[in-house]
Amino acid sequence: MLLGNDDEAVKRLPKPVDVSVGEQIMIRFVYVIAFCIRKEYALASSEMKNLIRNIKSIKQGDYFKQLYIAELFSRFVNAPVKGKEEKEKTMSSLRKEMKQNFSSWNLDAAVDVQLRWLMKQLETTA
């Protein structure tokens, strides 16, 4: 229904006060993904900095896992704004990390769908 209509999909996200802390984190990842789809990496990077700060301030639930995923995303969104050689080095490093940790990433991605999206991006940019 909203496939290909990013602006409308983002508008329909619930307001942060209406959802749990974990859902708030997930919603913020949706914004980062939307910025990446639009190739607005500066906005994605800015949102990732804010999200990481937010996760560090929460320190509850899956804090360490969410922080780890956010740091992976941060590397991913910052890669396109670097030079071509540095971008490829970062992407190669992320792909290598994914291969080394595939079983745990795959298990986590069943719940943390933002990680599944990142894994797909790393697979398709190989």
Side-chain angles (χ1 to χ4, degrees), residues 35-48:
F35 292 143
C36 289
I37 289 169
R38 295 179 186 159
K39 299 189 182 330
E40 295 174 338
Y41 297 106
L43 290 172
S45 178
S46 178
E47 181 61 22
M48 279 313 307

Side-chain angles (χ1 to χ4, degrees), residues 1-13 38:
M1 176 169 108
L2 296 174
L3 192 59
N5 193 350
D6 304 335
D7 291 328
E8 186 61 30
V10 170
K11 283 181 193 174
R12 292 190 186 196
L13 289 172
R38 295 179 186 159

Side-chain angles (χ1 to χ4, degrees), residues 7-125:
D7 291 328
E8 186 61 30
V10 170
K11 283 181 193 174
R12 292 190 186 196
L13 289 172
K15 303 294 179 235
V17 294
D18 298 335
V19 296
S20 70
V21 171
E23 290 168 327
Q24 289 176 36
I25 291 170
M26 189 68 87
I27 289 168
R28 298 211 40 201
F29 270 112
V30 171
Y31 284 105
V32 172
I33 291 169
F35 292 143
C36 289
I37 289 169
R38 295 179 186 159
K39 299 189 182 330
E40 295 174 338
Y41 297 106
L43 290 172
S45 178
S46 178
E47 181 61 22
M48 279 313 307
K49 288 176 189 170
N50 293 333
L51 179 53
I52 288 171
R53 233 183 343 267
N54 183 250
I55 292 169
K56 287 180 178 179
S57 73
I58 294 169
K59 295 186 182 178
Q60 65 183 21
D62 287 339
Y63 163 76
F64 291 108
K65 182 170 67 167
Q66 292 305 320
L67 188 57
Y68 175 68
I69 294 170
E71 289 171 349
L72 292 171
F73 257 85
S74 184
R75 289 166 49 201
F76 177 80
V77 302
N78 286 305
V81 296
K82 299 177 179 180
K84 185 174 179 159
E85 188 176 307
E86 191 62 30
K87 174 186 174 184
E88 188 47 46
K89 184 178 175 184
T90 299
M91 298 303 281
S92 178
S93 172
L94 282 167
R95 281 187 216 101
K96 182 179 178 184
E97 194 169 339
M98 180 176 68
K99 285 179 185 176
Q100 290 174 339
N101 301 301
F102 186 80
S103 59
S104 67
W105 281 30
N106 200 39
L107 191 60
D108 288 343
V111 175
D112 296 298
V113 294
Q114 71 275 23
L115 182 57
R116 175 72 62 212
W117 183 87
L118 179 62
M119 291 171 73
K120 289 293 181 189
Q121 299 312 300
L122 293 172
E123 289 171 2
T124 58
T125 59

